[in-house]
Amino acid sequence: MDAVFLARIQFAANITFHILFPSISIALSWVLLFFRLKHLRATDPQQKVDWLRAYRLWTKVFALTFALGVVSGVTMSFQFGTNWPGYMERVGNIAGPLLGYEVLTAFFLEAGFLGVMLFGHRRVGEMVHLGATFLVALGTLMKRVLDPCPQFMDAHAGGLRDCRRPVPCEGLA
């Protein structure tokens, strides 16, 4: 086995985990929002307790999947440069800012309000906590829906060839 084959196996294992954990967190964040809404709308005290217990349990699972997705995503971004330096040299002007866009928008939104979800239940009001849960769900959705990096890698939209190197030309292509 040569180094290229081993690097490909490593990247395949890493991207398998990176696809798995963010996909779980996308779905689970909306389930958490549902649990939170059911807790707030419940009139029976026992139902309120049950919905809150379910919310707290699955919030811990969500935090774990979020952390594993972050770890695999950071590793994957380094592997783009180390395993495919020629590819990143050619498309780095496009892929780099798009990956940065994802981190600055969706990841910071999700990570910031995840702290409120985990540690702010008795420290902030019910509606603030609900808003934090909604913003976490929105952040997870933004990571997949608004991240244009996979779309660029498939269709090369928004990039213009200039001296054999794509450069950004349209922001919303």
Side-chain angles (χ1 to χ4, degrees):
M1 288 205 249
D2 63 337
V4 172
F5 183 70
L6 291 174
R8 288 179 179 165
I9 290 173
Q10 178 190 22
F11 186 76
N14 190 21
I15 201 162
T16 300
F17 282 105
H18 187 67
I19 289 171
L20 177 67
F21 290 120
S23 298
I24 291 170
S25 70
I26 290 169
L28 194 52
S29 66
W30 292 98
V31 171
L32 287 172
L33 183 62
F34 173 76
F35 287 168
R36 194 75 179 119
L37 285 169
K38 290 297 274 187
H39 163 73
L40 291 174
R41 290 186 180 170
T43 55
D44 181 31
Q46 184 59 41
Q47 283 184 347
K48 280 184 100 55
V49 169
D50 290 342
W51 284 114
L52 187 59
R53 281 186 188 156
Y55 175 81
R56 288 189 175 161
L57 171 73
W58 287 104
T59 300
K60 294 172 188 173
V61 174
F62 176 81
L64 180 63
T65 60
F66 175 76
L68 292 171
V70 168
V71 169
S72 64
V74 168
T75 308
M76 189 177 62
S77 66
F78 282 112
Q79 287 176 341
F80 279 137
T82 57
N83 293 350
W84 292 283
Y87 177 71
M88 291 311 286
E89 183 180 340
R90 288 197 176 111
V91 300
N93 289 340
I94 303 283
L98 294 180
L99 291 171
Y101 165 77
E102 177 186 5
V103 168
L104 288 174
T105 57
F107 174 75
F108 282 165
L109 177 72
E110 184 180 7
F113 287 102
L114 180 60
V116 176
M117 275 179 60
L118 288 172
F119 307 115
H121 183 70
R122 292 188 181 102
R123 293 180 177 93
V124 298
E126 293 287 340
M127 296 311 288
V128 172
H129 201 267
L130 176 67
T133 305
F134 172 74
L135 289 172
V136 167
L138 183 66
T140 59
L141 188 64
M142 283 175 59
K143 281 195 304 190
R144 287 298 141 223
V145 173
L146 297 180
D147 181 16
C149 199
Q151 289 88 351
F152 169 76
M153 289 181 176
D154 290 338
H156 303 292
L160 177 67
R161 288 197 144 294
D162 179 26
C163 299
R164 296 177 17 160
R165 199 177 163 129
V167 294
C169 66
E170 294 180 31
L172 298 174

